[in-house]
Amino acid sequence: MTGQLALPLHPVPRTVTPFLNETVRSFVWRIAETHKLHPYELLEFLAESQKHGAPVPGHRLAAVSGIALPVLKYALPELCTSQDERQYRLNGRPTPGRHERVGCPRCIGNWHSSPWVRFWARQEDVICPSHWVWTGTKSSLDLSNHPKVAPEVIAANRRHRRLIRRRGRLAVRAAYSVAKRLCREWHKIGISNKRIGKRLTDLLGPGWSVLHDDPEAEAAYYPNVIELTRILSSPYWRSLILDEHLPASTPREPFELLGVPAGFCWLMESTPSIELFVREIRRTVNPYFNWHPYSHYRSYPAFTKWVLDELRERFAPSPYRHLLRPTPEVFGEDRPQRG
């Protein structure tokens, strides 16, 4: 600590109430704004370190904020240890470190708080159902002013939540990540989608220009991403593309076979199963999607590469898979399901 901030370790004059699942950094920032302090200096003082991102001890934050430590632990999951999970009933709530998102300005405004509030969120926490505000990016977007787009996004979010309940969070999380990347890749290589373009026109007007991480782009793509997530997380549709056309027995040299283009002949034939799969993607996700199984200058199309990666992992799983296991998205995710 530089010594520029001489703040004693006792409660600040005005109590700032934390939001549920708010980040510690956001909460400290709001305390500093309320009392006209420098946010970075307050963070350094509480963390007793000038290192960026240094953790803030819960007892120091409780002493300065004037809020009891159990209340802070319940609201701010970063302060909780593994032993606190059961005590504070964190099961099902987002874990810190995965998705940091902006809060709904209308919900925040109702509490007369600073508009700069950040939350830890789950994958499906991308829209405020009460105010139709998109919160799935670093900045928010009020969809209530766009009645043609908002119902589609709301309906897609409901489907997203149903998929998680039916197929499990891990399966949907993996499929969602792939679906989002594929939809972007298709747009990048010129496989346009009129429905996405129409949503962007409704949001931005004619002649729109948008970056891939802008809230308008994320909201416009979201319904199509969820439809593709539904397909990629479905055991039935996955079996059509990954099982129906495979050989009766596992190849003797699976990794070598999957690494040599000539060895893909048995995979790349257009079977009735693949045609059915392609029709479903055309019907629900992108009407211009085509199955291109062959490489071009030693590079496969994005969807074909996903298929090959899935088969490679099946026939020759990486011995380092356990090291690449993603961190849980919600508390209690690693617990086995009952029944």
Side-chain angles (χ1 to χ4, degrees):
M1 185 62 191
T2 62
Q4 296 177 358
L5 180 65
L7 184 66
L9 203 62
H10 62 68
V12 289
R14 296 178 59 185
T15 301
V16 177
T17 304
F19 288 94
L20 189 66
N21 299 325
E22 186 177 3
T23 69
V24 168
R25 184 183 182 88
S26 170
F27 180 55
V28 173
W29 195 285
R30 292 196 296 116
I31 293 176
E33 283 190 338
T34 301
H35 296 87
K36 309 301 181 183
L37 302 173
H38 195 288
Y40 291 107
E41 291 187 348
L42 181 57
L43 280 168
E44 290 177 3
F45 171 77
L46 291 172
E48 298 182 290
S49 171
Q50 294 183 348
K51 183 179 179 181
H52 178 74
V56 174
H59 69 279
R60 291 181 62 84
L61 184 57
V64 170
S65 66
I67 298 175
L69 182 57
V71 176
L72 285 181
K73 284 190 172 185
Y74 181 79
L76 312 177
E78 286 171 82
L79 300 179
C80 291
T81 64
S82 56
Q83 291 76 19
D84 294 328
E85 181 178 346
R86 184 183 299 274
Q87 179 180 353
Y88 295 104
R89 300 179 181 179
L90 301 178
N91 193 27
R93 287 174 53 188
T95 56
R98 288 200 58 85
H99 304 294
E100 182 181 340
R101 289 174 176 161
V102 67
C104 170
R106 294 191 182 182
C107 293
I108 296 170
N110 291 338
W111 288 85
H112 306 288
S113 182
S114 166
W116 197 96
V117 184
R118 296 294 184 271
F119 298 89
W120 298 118
R122 302 168 298 181
Q123 185 186 77
E124 68 273 22
D125 297 330
V126 297
I127 191 167
C128 173
S130 301
H131 301 113
W132 289 15
V133 174
W134 176 266
T135 60
T137 43
K138 293 184 178 180
S139 57
S140 61
L141 172 65
D142 191 348
L143 292 177
S144 63
N145 298 323
H146 307 280
K148 294 182 180 179
V149 178
E152 291 186 82
V153 177
I154 291 288
N157 189 245
R158 290 171 180 165
R159 290 195 297 271
H160 192 172
R161 295 172 185 274
R162 283 198 299 268
L163 285 175
I164 292 173
R165 290 195 298 268
R166 292 175 180 176
R167 296 174 184 169
R169 182 170 295 277
L170 289 176
V172 174
R173 183 207 304 180
Y176 180 85
S177 177
V178 173
K180 192 173 181 179
R181 175 170 52 84
L182 287 176
C183 286
R184 294 292 183 187
E185 287 291 333
W186 291 340
H187 175 75
K188 185 178 179 180
I189 64 176
I191 304 178
S192 58
N193 191 307
K194 292 182 179 179
R195 283 176 288 186
I196 295 176
K198 187 176 183 300
R199 294 188 199 110
L200 286 170
T201 301
D202 290 335
L203 291 171
L204 298 169
W208 51 265
S209 177
V210 68
L211 299 177
H212 74 278
D213 56 351
D214 286 345
E216 293 83 359
E218 293 283 346
Y221 273 87
Y222 184 67
N224 295 72
V225 170
I226 294 304
E227 284 296 338
L228 187 55
T229 300
R230 173 185 63 83
I231 296 172
L232 298 182
S233 65
S234 165
Y236 169 73
W237 291 111
R238 287 176 62 88
S239 69
L240 291 185
I241 198 69
L242 297 175
D243 296 336
E244 294 293 328
H245 54 288
L246 296 185
S249 60
T250 303
R252 293 183 179 180
E253 301 291 339
F255 188 81
E256 185 175 332
L257 175 64
L258 289 174
V260 180
F264 286 117
C265 295
W266 52 269
L267 167 66
M268 297 310 168
E269 296 178 358
S270 182
T271 66
S273 297
I274 291 180
E275 292 176 359
L276 184 62
F277 189 95
V278 170
R279 284 200 298 269
E280 179 67 9
I281 291 184
R282 287 176 178 172
R283 183 182 70 85
T284 60
V285 183
N286 193 315
Y288 303 105
F289 171 76
N290 284 305
W291 170 245
H292 294 293
Y294 300 105
S295 64
H296 182 67
Y297 291 104
R298 297 184 180 182
S299 177
Y300 288 96
F303 183 78
T304 307
K305 187 177 184 302
W306 172 77
V307 173
L308 300 181
D309 288 342
E310 288 287 312
L311 294 174
R312 182 178 291 111
E313 183 62 25
R314 177 180 299 185
F315 289 143
S318 169
Y320 305 106
R321 273 188 305 175
H322 65 286
L323 299 177
L324 301 176
R325 184 181 182 185
T327 56
E329 186 173 74
V330 299
F331 284 100
E333 186 177 60
D334 287 336
R335 293 180 180 176
Q337 298 292 329
R338 294 184 178 180

